[in-house]
Amino acid sequence: MRALLLEQQDDQTLARVKDINSDQLPDGDVTVDVNWSSINYKDALAITGKGKIVRNFPMVPGIDFAGTVRQSRDDRFKEGQSVVLTGWGVGENHWGGLAEQARVSGEWLVPLPNGLDERKAMILGTAGFTAMLCVMALEEGGVHPDDGDILVTGASGGVGSTAVAILAALGYHVTAISGRESNTDYLKALGAKEVLSRDGYLEAPRPLEKQLWAGAVDTVGDTMLARVLAQMNYNGTVAACGLAGGYHLPTTVMPFILRNVRLQGVDSVHTPLHRRQTAWERLAGILPDSFYQQATQEITLEQAPATAAALLDNKVTGRTLVKIR
């Protein structure tokens, strides 16, 4: 089997496509023939070695994949069944999806819902799954389409662009923040009504600012998230799922105690199975076919290292799909 293998030499991470024996796969009760994977921010950090994502080498990266069951000791999965996996430390401490086969716990797999094929599932991938969880968090916070504008930060990335598309499809009025003016037309095609420059959100905010947003999906963190919190409407909800801008949060309690703002963290790695299934089933029925053409570029396994470096340099828009087979 072919795999992108990460090895370490002189404290440097080396990423190379190699032919390896499938007997080298780690323990698990389901073996999957991987057909599609993707490049996420966490994958980029692992492949380039710029983040302490991988601590045990050799490692096959790829935090998500879609494919068909090859062998199963789990009664819930049968040979030939299409499945999708995101999270659970796969691609970090358990060999992941950037290989022709993966062996994992059946507890980590979700049967592919009706309405999605394997390619579409990986156009969504971890990014789309996380975006859906963020939208569900807004809904559970009581944010409805007629409550006001929804802000999406880091909107040019995988999570942000999918969140824009999901929210627009559900009838929300979406404003996007992007660091690249060249992506304005792309984001408007996904459903954003307005695109703002991130430059206006990089300065430290006042404790409270003008109320602008009924809800927000934040993928950036740090000063930008603090600024968003200061601009939330009374009773607004922010779903925070990323830290592309940093892990600090230089804010005050003012938005929370004076405007009843809710900050809801969103984790997609250890999401319980029933919630995973709900998110994937909703994704299968929400997004128009046009999304899968607008938000995707497709690469080979050999192109993954260069694409990972480009993603960290902020040169990648939307989702990057990896065709494994």
Side-chain angles (χ1 to χ4, degrees):
M1 53 174 279
R2 293 165 62 251
L4 179 64
L5 201 66
L6 304 184
E7 298 172 296
Q8 200 165 50
Q9 181 177 323
D10 299 327
D11 293 326
Q12 298 294 314
T13 299
L14 304 178
R16 293 174 288 196
V17 176
K18 289 189 171 184
D19 290 320
I20 62 175
N21 195 310
S22 59
D23 292 340
Q24 296 176 251
L25 290 169
D27 291 338
D29 47 22
V30 183
T31 302
V32 178
D33 285 330
V34 178
N35 296 316
W36 301 94
S37 187
S38 64
I39 302 294
N40 299 277
Y41 185 73
K42 191 177 287 186
D43 295 319
L45 290 173
I47 292 168
T48 61
K50 292 184 178 180
K52 299 296 183 181
I53 302 298
V54 176
R55 299 184 183 276
N56 298 308
F57 295 87
M59 176 61 62
V60 174
I63 66 173
D64 55 20
F65 63 77
T68 56
V69 174
R70 185 183 184 92
Q71 296 176 330
S72 175
R73 300 195 305 272
D74 187 319
D75 291 340
R76 293 171 295 183
F77 299 99
K78 305 301 181 185
E79 182 179 334
Q81 183 178 3
S82 291
V83 292
V84 61
L85 180 144
T86 62
W88 301 112
V90 170
E92 300 176 64
N93 49 52
H94 187 99
W95 282 19
L98 290 173
E100 291 183 332
Q101 289 182 27
R103 185 175 294 134
V104 298
S105 168
E107 295 290 335
W108 302 344
L109 294 169
V110 174
L112 203 64
N114 293 332
L116 277 184
D117 58 32
E118 294 173 13
R119 186 178 187 276
K120 286 183 176 180
M122 271 303 100
I123 292 174
L124 294 166
T126 291
F129 174 61
T130 304
M132 189 69 247
L133 292 177
C134 288
V135 173
M136 290 164 63
L138 295 186
E139 294 172 335
E140 291 158 3
V143 181
H144 305 290
D146 57 358
D147 289 337
D149 291 1
I150 308 298
L151 184 69
V152 177
T153 71
S156 294
V159 177
S161 59
T162 310
V164 168
I166 294 171
L167 288 163
L170 291 173
Y172 289 89
H173 188 284
V174 184
T175 298
I177 293 180
S178 175
R180 285 171 278 174
E181 186 178 348
S182 59
N183 284 338
T184 296
D185 290 343
Y186 161 73
L187 292 169
K188 287 187 174 181
L190 290 177
K193 300 300 184 183
E194 186 177 3
V195 180
L196 305 178
S197 170
R198 71 179 175 195
D199 293 343
Y201 281 78
L202 298 180
E203 295 181 2
R206 298 186 298 274
L208 290 174
E209 299 188 357
K210 182 180 179 181
Q211 297 182 49
L212 297 174
W213 318 112
V217 173
D218 177 68
T219 71
V220 179
D222 211 277
T223 302
M224 185 170 291
L225 175 54
R227 193 75 180 269
V228 172
L229 288 167
Q231 296 178 351
M232 295 304 297
N233 291 357
Y234 188 88
N235 216 35
T237 296
V238 179
C241 65
L243 43 65
Y247 59 83
H248 294 289
L249 183 55
T251 190
T252 72
V253 299
M254 302 291 272
F256 308 107
I257 65 174
L258 294 183
R259 290 185 178 165
N260 210 46
V261 171
R262 173 180 178 178
L263 176 59
Q264 177 64 58
V266 175
D267 163 64
S268 64
V269 176
H270 297 103
T271 308
L273 179 59
H274 71 278
R275 193 165 179 84
R276 286 179 180 271
Q277 291 175 321
T278 298
W280 278 107
E281 287 166 3
R282 290 196 65 189
L283 282 167
I286 289 175
L287 291 168
D289 287 340
S290 59
F291 169 80
Y292 298 100
Q293 283 78 48
Q294 293 167 335
T296 310
Q297 65 166 322
E298 186 176 312
I299 65 170
T300 65
L301 194 57
E302 285 77 10
Q303 292 172 304
T307 302
L311 193 155
L312 294 186
D313 287 339
N314 201 31
K315 296 178 180 177
V316 174
T317 297
R319 293 284 291 150
T320 299
L321 187 67
V322 185
K323 186 174 183 178
I324 304 295
R325 292 177 179 270

